[in-house]
Amino acid sequence: MWLTGDLGVTTRLDPWGHHAIEDYEKLIVEFGITSIDKLLAQYTVDHSYFTRRVIFGHRDLDSWLNAFSRGDKTAVLTGFMPSGYPHLGTAMVYEELKYFQKKGAFIKVAIADAEAYAVRRESRSDVIQRGFDFVVHAIAWGVDPERAEFYYQTEMPSSYYRLIQMFSRKITQAEMEAIYGDLAPAKVISALTQAADILHLQLDEFGGYKYVVVPVGVDQDPHIRLARDIADRFKSELGFERPASLYHRLIRGLDGNKMSKSRPEYAIHLNEPKELLEKKVMNALTGGRATAEEQRRLGGEPWKCTIFELYTYHLVKDDKQLEEIRQECITGRILCGACKKRALVLLMELLREHQDNLRDITERRVVEKVLKKPSF
Ligand code: TRP
Ligand code: SF4
């Protein structure tokens, strides 16, 4: 979310907010995020999220890629806050994890149960169960549990918690305020905990991975900036290096605002029943015109359309086919009703496959093999 301070000069991203981001270029300029464009000219990163600029920015991804291709120790770390239920925005991170796994990278995933408890004020039993669901869905989406580690924040050993305490010494109130605005203790602790998630892999005890990249929605950039600052300050004491990051655009909800676990009526959940899917898609905000006549004459505006976003982020893997859909839209050859129906068919197919996979994954097996639940 954009917050403009009293003086009209400070802009902030709120990692806990519920607003859609309007202007990604502005983020690049204001926060010094590096645009992905230059990197794409130099490296082959062959996922459509890159080529379509769904992943639009990064910090130091080039160093990470260099280390990776040199065969240095590299890792990918991300996390999920288990409030609400996994949705198509969550699945974007699953996609990225799958991509890195296919390349052969080591993957580690935090279940931010401490954060969900403290900031979203969910009950412990809910965050434990929801956290588990995020893992089960990741596996159903195609993340290979044999080549990934998942953990609950609250199950980590003392060496991870020691980091949080050490970090607190070198961060000032003014810095926290500049980054987050809000200094509620729950948020301060959650931010430092996330820094421990991002940085702990660099300790020998956790493998000594000096090159870590964090793929996330860009609303998480404040946490990345904090973790990078902390890394600098612990360079001599702990030998930390700055983590790299990778930012995707946030998928919007079907009303055009941020797709958020806290506004379930506008999100598409990965366990969504068919009937609800149809209702949600048919009611979605599009880039269509006021009348059919006008749309045939002027064409639609796919850049405003939540349905076109679904095509881009999840439903159409082939770039040529996506371009055809865009052409049909802007030339007015298709109207939104028909276009939505086509999207609905693809979406049902995608989720049916996912839900079939889900049924094959037994909770007992996941608990035994992948992740134990905290006891309270
Ligand atoms: N704060 C993240 C969210 O809201 C979850 C998270 C916790 C995370 N630890 C992380 C993300 C470390 C990336 C890296 O979803
Ligand atoms: Fe969106 Fe399709 Fe309508 Fe174009 S025709 S605005 S892509 S729903």
Side-chain angles (χ1 to χ4, degrees), residues 97 102 162 194 196 203 229 237 244 274 281 287 305 316 318 346 361-362 366 373:
L97 288 174
K102 230 186 267 157
R162 191 177 302 132
Q194 185 151 341
L203 296 176
D229 281 351
E237 198 171 346
K274 247 170 123 177
V281 167
C305 176
V316 177
D318 181 61
L346 294 172
I361 301 169
T362 62
V366 176
K373 293 181 181 175

Side-chain angles (χ1 to χ4, degrees), residues 78-304:
T78 191
F80 299 102
M81 173 158 60
S83 70
Y85 208 79
H87 55 58
L88 284 179
T90 319
M92 293 174 71
V93 183
Y94 295 161
E95 271 297 303
E96 291 161 0
L97 288 174
K98 260 170 68 178
Y99 171 78
F100 280 112
Q101 246 183 358
K102 230 186 267 157
K103 297 282 162 200
F106 170 68
I107 305 284
K108 192 159 178 176
V109 181
I111 299 302
D113 61 327
E115 181 185 10
Y117 177 85
V119 177
R120 296 287 188 232
R121 310 182 73 81
E122 310 265 1
S123 75
R124 277 299 288 159
S125 60
D126 276 358
V127 299
I128 292 167
Q129 188 50 45
R130 288 286 88 81
F132 199 78
D133 294 336
F134 277 74
V135 178
V136 174
H137 277 273
I139 297 169
W141 198 268
V143 175
D144 178 1
E146 307 284 337
R147 292 187 297 127
E149 278 178 30
F150 295 89
Y151 69 92
Y152 284 98
Q153 287 173 328
T154 60
E155 288 288 281
M156 289 299 269
S158 55
S159 43
Y160 162 98
Y161 276 93
R162 191 177 302 132
L163 290 179
I164 299 173
Q165 293 167 5
M166 289 172 76
F167 294 168
S168 72
R169 166 165 133 182
K170 296 198 189 179
I171 291 297
T172 67
Q173 177 155 340
E175 279 169 315
M176 289 302 287
E177 227 162 64
I179 297 178
Y180 298 101
D182 186 341
L183 283 179
K187 291 190 176 171
V188 174
I189 301 266
S190 296
L192 294 180
T193 305
Q194 185 151 341
D197 288 329
I198 294 169
L199 296 170
H200 79 281
L201 283 171
Q202 298 198 36
L203 296 176
D204 287 341
E205 180 184 337
F206 296 103
Y209 294 90
K210 294 296 171 194
Y211 294 95
V212 177
V213 66
V214 186
V216 275
V218 70
D219 60 326
Q220 298 293 306
D221 181 56
H223 294 312
I224 304 284
R225 275 183 272 141
L226 180 71
R228 285 164 65 88
D229 281 351
I230 291 175
D232 288 347
R233 289 166 206 181
F234 282 91
K235 189 169 175 67
S236 60
E237 198 171 346
L238 296 172
F240 280 176
E241 300 293 337
R242 285 182 171 188
S245 60
L246 185 58
Y247 300 123
H248 56 250
R249 292 168 193 261
L250 304 179
I251 194 167
R252 290 180 303 157
L254 298 174
D255 62 345
N257 294 314
K258 182 178 171 187
M259 187 175 288
S260 162
K261 295 161 205 152
S262 58
R263 300 181 319 113
E265 61 282 26
Y266 302 112
I268 294 180
H269 297 93
L270 301 185
N271 66 341
E272 201 82 58
K274 247 170 123 177
E275 312 73 62
L276 271 181
L277 268 186
E278 180 165 1
K279 219 166 112 196
K280 286 181 175 179
V281 167
M282 296 320 281
N283 286 327
L285 175 86
T286 69
R289 306 284 177 174
T291 65
E293 182 280 319
E294 213 179 294
Q295 186 152 348
R296 283 198 193 93
R297 186 159 45 85
L298 299 171
E301 300 179 288
W303 53 91
K304 291 186 181 167

